[in-house]
């Protein structure tokens, strides 16, 4: 299957339809677009919830260029920018829009963003969808504002309005106040029963609303598409994904637009984060799905994000399995696509390679590597920090992915058969059965996860009798010194644990006999003040490693000493199984995928320093690839050589370029 380009564009009522028609048809042809997705009322052209009269004007105004595109064989979809609306930004509901505004946990109410339970708004929004659906768009997208989180200016989001509180009380026969609900749902310790009840109420009412919307648009032959956001935030809403696929897809494969890459130019160190984000989405999608990730580049143009990074973004989407790409390179103000004709040229130049990648990496492939598991129920099961804020239900999940891929090790967002890695509060969301299974294999724990497993009664399996989280106020640790040559670049190698957020709070345990100490924490005068990396072989036959620090979601303090320590530790945990890895420079990130029959790989260089040779370790079960293809920053392909585990590149592998491992 080839790729499928959908260009996302918006033109306003202030522009001449004849002028737009000519430009949009030309741009679609030059950019090799299969589909145009029109926005209505987005960003700069958003004036809150638009009136039905204005919606009719947008529909009529766009008719000439929609017809011209259809005659040119270009498919059409529509993304009305608001359902609930993303954010106020000083917009107001119009005088006759007497709807309940969205309300946050403190009682602050939005001036424009609405509560999804308001009956009059629901009638209005259903009518907008009827009008759009009569235009027979292929897909009508519901933007990711159909969420509870991230609605400025609210704190975390909503909705905790009187309608929602009344619905909660009606369902469960209670007389709770908003303050009592928030306090109980965010209380520390074992989650209060109200948390699941509240999240069930949120999820049920949203899904009833969306099911009605699907019925409206499907009656006219359109599909209803879902855009989604970050998984930790959705888990704090209590979202059950299989129910969302049912609501959006009905008896057809759902249509999904996952978000996975930063909007502006990102650092090379961020690639593992983007791999993990998209993999998390892929891991909860049903097998039959139309998945068209968002290639968002707000606020557009090459000053914001260079083409070579956008090319990498599109390529990664296909490496992890995508049916198409929702490409945003054009702004919402209706600026002339010819203002920067290089955009269409860029898309055209990359198209053959993206078609090739879509073919090389079919949707049936799954990533293989160190498992970095997570759970859609993490917001429901997490023990909070006691801050009382809804934000405390958001759970970070991708820290280990950033650090392990940063050390050149392949990872996956799904549980893995040989080695898994858990960091921080996500450990609350793993079931006892999962933990038992993983403890009988290889398991890497950070300090936070080790502390949680200790509290959950798994101490004997991780080599810890008792333990606590401490700070530098308790012991002035500043250097982690490697003592065991098997887990070090060399004995005596130092790794800083002085100032980074990953070392702000660390775990110190009373260790069981038989625990192997691979490093020690030292103070500034080089006295031992605690244990560092510990290794333990438990009675289940598994191997467990604990690092006292906590891999941070954003700050990755990688050095050659830390990278070698992590690689050696993970290889020990894997036992007789081989882990996929790439070495030869900083920020070399490998990916390996299989469906059980075919195997594929990709190795990225995201460092600004060019690479000429890479030492590859193929994962357990992967046959030696018979072809290696270097994809450069302009989307051109060049043969590379793979001999005896060494990738030799005829030309340097520059930043955001990658090598595909495949079969000739
Ligand atoms: Zn509400």
């Amino acid at each position: 299957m080839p790729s499928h380009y959908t260009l996302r564009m918006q033109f306003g009522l202030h522009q001449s339809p004849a002028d737009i028609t000519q430009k949009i048809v030309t741009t679609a042809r030059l950019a090799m677009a299969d589909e145009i997705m029109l926005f209505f009322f987005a960003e700069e052209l958003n004036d809150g919830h638009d009136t039905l009269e204005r919606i009719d004007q947008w529909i009529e105004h766009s008719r000439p260029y929609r017809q011209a595109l259809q005659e040119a064989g270009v498919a059409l979809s529509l993304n009305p920018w608001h359902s609930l609306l993303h954010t106020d930004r000083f917009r107001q509901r119009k005088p006759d829009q007497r709807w309940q505004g969205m309300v946050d946990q403190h009682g602050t109410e939005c001036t424009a963003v609405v509560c999804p339970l308001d009956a009059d708004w629901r009638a209005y929004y259903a009518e907008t969808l009827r009008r759009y659906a009569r235009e027979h768009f292929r897909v009508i997208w519901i933007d990711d504002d159909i969420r509870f989180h991230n609605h400025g200016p609210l704190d975390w989001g909503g909705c905790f309005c009187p309608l929602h509180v009344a619905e909660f009380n009606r369902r469960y026969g209670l007389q709770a106040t908003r303050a009592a609900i928030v306090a109980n749902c965010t209380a520390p310790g074992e989650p209060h029963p109200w948390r699941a009840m509240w999240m069930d109420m949120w999820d049920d009412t949203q899904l009833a609303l969306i099911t009605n919307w699907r019925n409206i648009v499907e009656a006219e032959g359109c599909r209803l598409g879902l855009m989604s956001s970050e998984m930790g935030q959705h888990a704090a809403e209590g979202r059950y994904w299989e129910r969302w696929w049912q609501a959006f897809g009905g008896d057809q494969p759902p249509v999904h637009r996952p978000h996975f890459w930063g909007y502006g130019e990102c650092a090379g160190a961020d690639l593992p984060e983007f791999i993990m984000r998209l993999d998390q989405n892929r891991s909860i999608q049903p097998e039959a799905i139309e998945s068209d990730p968002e290639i968002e580049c707000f606020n557009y143009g090459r000053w914001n994000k260079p083409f070579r990074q956008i090319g990498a973004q599109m390529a990664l989407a296909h490496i992890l399995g995508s049916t198409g790409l929702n490409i945003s390179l054009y702004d919402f103000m209706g600026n002339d696509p010819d203002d920067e004709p290089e955009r269409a040229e860029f898309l055209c130049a990359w198209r053959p390679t993206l078609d090739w990648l879509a073919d090389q990496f079919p949707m049936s492939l799954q990533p293989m590597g160190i498992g970095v598991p997570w759970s859609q129920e993490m917001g429901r099961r997490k023990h909070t920090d006691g801050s009382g804020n809804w934000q405390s239900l958001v759970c970070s999940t991708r820290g280990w992915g950033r650090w392990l891929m940063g050390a050149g090790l392949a990872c996956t967002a799904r549980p893995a058969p040989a080695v898994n890695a858990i960091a921080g509060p996500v450990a609350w969301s793993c079931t006892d059965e999962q933990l038992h299974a993983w403890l009988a294999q290889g398991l890497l724990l950070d300090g936070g996860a080790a502390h949680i497993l200790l509290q959950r009664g798994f101490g004997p399996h991780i080599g810890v009798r008792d333990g606590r989280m401490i700070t530098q106020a308790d012991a002035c640790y500043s250097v982690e010194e490697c003592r065991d040559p098997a887990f070090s670049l060399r004995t005596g190698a130092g790794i800083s644990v002085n100032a980074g957020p990953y070392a702000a709070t660390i775990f110190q345990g009373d260790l069981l006999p038989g625990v192997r100490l691979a490093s020690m924490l030292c103070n500034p005068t080089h006295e031992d003040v605690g244990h560092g990396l510990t290794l333990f072989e438990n009675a289940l036959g598994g191997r467990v490693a604990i690092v006292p620090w906590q891999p941070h979601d954003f700050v990755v303090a990688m050095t050659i000493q830390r990278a070698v320590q992590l690689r050696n530790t993970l290889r020990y945990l894997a036992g007789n199984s081989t882990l996929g890895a790439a070495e030869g420079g900083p920020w070399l990130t490998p990916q390996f995928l299989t469906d059980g029959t075919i195997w594929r790989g990709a190795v990225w260089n995201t460092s600004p320093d060019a690479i000429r040779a890479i030492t590859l370790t193929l994962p357990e079960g992967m046959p030696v690839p018979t072809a290696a293809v270097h994809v450069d920053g302009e989307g051109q392909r060049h043969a590379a050589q793979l001999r005896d585990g060494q990738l030799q590149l005829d030309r340097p592998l520059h930043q955001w370029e990658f090598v595909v491992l495949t079969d000739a």
Side-chain angles (χ1 to χ4, degrees):
M1 289 289 286
S3 184
H4 179 99
Y5 275 5
T6 299
L7 292 192
R8 309 167 76 202
M9 304 175 117
Q10 173 167 272
F11 301 95
L13 299 182
H14 62 290
Q15 296 177 280
S16 146
D19 193 32
I20 297 164
T21 300
Q22 181 263 322
K23 288 184 168 134
I24 197 171
V25 171
T26 305
T27 303
R29 181 171 48 78
L30 292 175
M32 300 184 75
D34 305 280
E35 181 165 347
I36 299 288
M37 195 212 77
L38 295 171
F39 279 105
F40 282 2
F41 324 113
E43 294 284 0
E44 289 85 354
L45 305 192
N46 178 270
D47 186 33
H49 297 266
D50 234 311
T51 63
L52 294 175
E53 293 69 31
R54 289 264 297 176
I55 286 171
D56 285 342
Q57 287 172 17
W58 277 73
I59 289 172
E60 286 312 315
H61 186 263
S62 61
R63 194 175 300 285
Y65 52 90
R66 287 191 284 120
Q67 278 176 349
L69 286 166
Q70 270 168 338
E71 284 158 17
V74 179
L76 274 170
S77 48
L78 176 71
N79 194 140
W81 193 60
H82 62 74
S83 60
L84 308 179
L85 198 64
H86 287 271
T87 173
D88 278 352
R89 282 197 201 122
F90 306 102
R91 271 67 165 180
Q92 308 282 331
R93 287 184 294 281
K94 296 173 177 57
D96 62 342
Q97 295 175 340
R98 295 184 197 88
W99 307 328
Q100 171 65 55
M102 184 173 275
V103 172
D104 74 8
Q105 55 193 312
H106 315 293
T108 303
E109 181 175 347
C110 281
T111 59
V113 181
V114 295
C115 163
L117 283 187
D118 186 284
D120 288 343
W121 172 80
R122 288 164 87 103
Y124 152 86
Y125 203 71
E127 179 55 28
T128 70
L129 289 177
R130 269 182 218 107
R131 294 181 190 210
Y132 300 141
R134 285 199 288 266
E135 302 301 312
H136 302 297
F137 292 101
R138 188 183 76 82
V139 177
I140 296 174
W141 289 96
I142 302 301
D143 220 71
D144 59 344
D145 66 331
I146 189 63
R147 64 191 173 200
F148 292 113
H149 70 276
N150 197 9
H151 292 282
L154 303 184
D155 181 9
W156 181 77
C159 186
F160 302 88
C161 79
L163 295 176
H164 271 101
V165 171
E167 174 61 17
F168 181 73
N169 286 330
R170 184 195 67 76
R171 283 186 162 225
Y172 302 113
L174 298 168
Q175 289 187 314
T177 61
R178 187 194 68 246
I181 291 165
V182 172
N184 280 336
C185 291
T186 60
E190 193 61 28
H192 190 281
W194 284 11
R195 193 198 295 178
M197 290 156 62
W198 179 266
M199 288 179 170
D200 285 345
M201 181 270 296
W202 261 355
D203 215 37
D204 289 348
T205 52
Q206 289 296 81
L207 291 164
L209 177 67
I210 290 160
T211 302
N212 180 45
W213 291 351
R214 172 169 54 79
N215 290 334
I216 290 170
V217 307
E218 285 188 350
E220 298 288 349
C222 306
R223 302 298 315 280
L224 194 69
L226 166 68
M227 187 195 170
S228 63
S229 310
E230 193 274 318
M231 286 298 162
Q233 294 284 349
H234 284 309
E237 303 170 336
R239 201 177 272 202
Y240 279 126
W241 287 94
E242 59 274 23
R243 301 182 69 209
W244 280 69
W245 304 131
Q246 173 64 32
F248 271 87
D251 53 12
Q252 300 179 69
V255 182
H256 183 208
R257 185 170 82 231
H259 156 76
F260 73 105
W261 198 286
Y263 285 3
E265 182 181 7
C266 299
D270 292 330
L271 180 70
E273 166 78 6
F274 306 149
I275 292 173
M276 293 300 292
R277 279 191 205 167
L278 188 52
D279 192 12
Q280 286 185 336
N281 278 276
R282 297 284 291 123
S283 73
I284 45 105
Q285 288 175 339
E287 215 168 289
I289 187 145
E290 179 184 326
S291 184
D292 312 315
E294 172 192 71
I295 309 299
E296 178 58 74
C297 305
F298 183 80
N299 48 14
Y300 312 111
R302 287 177 291 165
W303 277 264
N304 188 57
K305 193 191 280 178
F307 283 151
R308 63 170 42 239
Q309 188 168 136
I310 303 170
Q313 187 177 359
M314 297 194 293
L316 178 61
H318 276 303
I319 288 169
L320 282 169
S322 295
T323 33
L325 306 171
N326 276 304
I327 302 164
S328 287
L329 287 184
Y330 299 93
D331 66 41
F332 298 100
M333 296 173 285
N335 269 318
D336 193 332
D338 286 343
D339 288 352
E340 196 179 39
E342 292 86 350
R343 286 173 287 187
E345 291 162 15
F346 154 75
L347 290 170
C348 184
W350 267 88
R351 185 64 195 253
T353 287
L354 290 166
D355 285 339
W356 176 75
L357 285 171
D359 200 45
Q360 289 289 318
F361 293 87
M363 300 286 283
S364 57
L365 301 186
Q366 291 196 2
M368 305 298 287
I370 299 157
V372 184
W374 63 288
S375 166
Q376 65 177 351
E377 296 203 57
M378 54 199 176
R380 292 168 177 262
R381 297 186 191 162
K382 182 185 177 189
H383 290 204
T384 69
D385 58 9
S387 66
N389 192 298
W390 208 267
Q391 183 69 34
S392 66
L393 302 179
V394 179
C395 191
S396 78
T397 50
R398 297 179 295 272
W400 267 137
R402 277 184 170 259
W403 285 69
L404 296 177
M405 280 191 262
L409 296 160
C411 292
T412 170
R414 309 155 202 243
V419 183
N420 290 283
I422 309 174
V426 77
W428 289 118
S429 71
C430 309
T431 65
D432 285 354
E433 294 70 30
Q434 286 174 322
L435 290 171
H436 262 288
W438 298 337
L439 283 162
Q441 304 158 351
L443 186 61
L444 173 66
L445 300 171
D446 80 330
H451 192 226
I452 292 166
L453 262 63
L454 178 66
Q455 293 171 69
R456 290 184 61 175
F458 289 99
H461 296 317
I462 64 172
V464 175
R465 183 183 294 111
D466 196 6
R468 64 215 65 86
M469 301 303 293
I470 68 163
T471 70
Q472 283 173 317
D474 304 299
C476 195
Y477 53 82
S478 60
V479 179
E480 178 183 351
E481 189 178 278
C482 298
R483 300 279 171 86
D484 186 332
F487 298 92
S488 313
L489 178 65
R490 57 180 168 74
T491 304
I495 304 171
S496 177
V497 285
N498 188 37
Y502 54 92
T505 313
I506 65 164
F507 176 72
Q508 286 295 285
D510 303 330
L511 307 175
L512 291 175
V515 170
R516 184 170 171 178
L517 274 173
S519 66
M520 293 298 289
L521 302 183
C522 305
N523 67 12
T525 54
H526 228 75
E527 296 157 317
D528 288 356
V529 292
H531 68 76
L533 170 66
T534 66
L535 306 145
F536 184 62
E537 303 197 6
N538 63 31
L540 301 172
R543 294 177 167 185
V544 178
I546 300 173
V547 302
W549 48 278
Q550 305 190 73
H552 194 265
D553 265 0
F554 301 104
V555 179
V556 181
M558 192 57 60
T559 62
I560 190 64
Q561 294 83 7
R562 177 67 83 199
V564 170
Q565 183 198 53
L566 287 174
R567 287 176 203 154
N568 291 358
T569 301
L570 272 294
R571 282 170 182 149
Y572 159 82
L573 293 176
N576 295 325
S577 184
T578 312
L579 298 174
E583 295 173 40
W587 309 122
L588 278 180
T589 304
Q591 294 181 274
F592 300 98
L593 305 94
T594 186
D595 60 5
T597 306
I598 64 167
W599 281 84
R600 295 286 182 264
V603 184
W604 295 84
N605 176 27
T606 64
S607 164
D609 289 336
I611 295 284
R612 284 192 176 272
I614 298 168
T615 302
L616 263 188
T617 311
L618 299 177
E620 192 73 26
M622 182 172 180
V624 176
T626 55
V629 180
H630 171 182
V631 178
D632 72 21
E634 295 175 350
Q636 302 303 303
R637 282 168 279 162
H638 314 277
Q641 277 73 50
L642 177 62
R643 282 193 210 99
D644 304 326
Q646 292 292 313
L647 259 179
Q648 295 293 337
L649 300 156
D650 294 337
R651 53 182 73 211
L653 187 69
H654 289 290
Q655 190 176 31
W656 297 112
E657 298 184 353
F658 55 100
V659 180
V660 172
L661 306 167
T662 181
D663 296 312

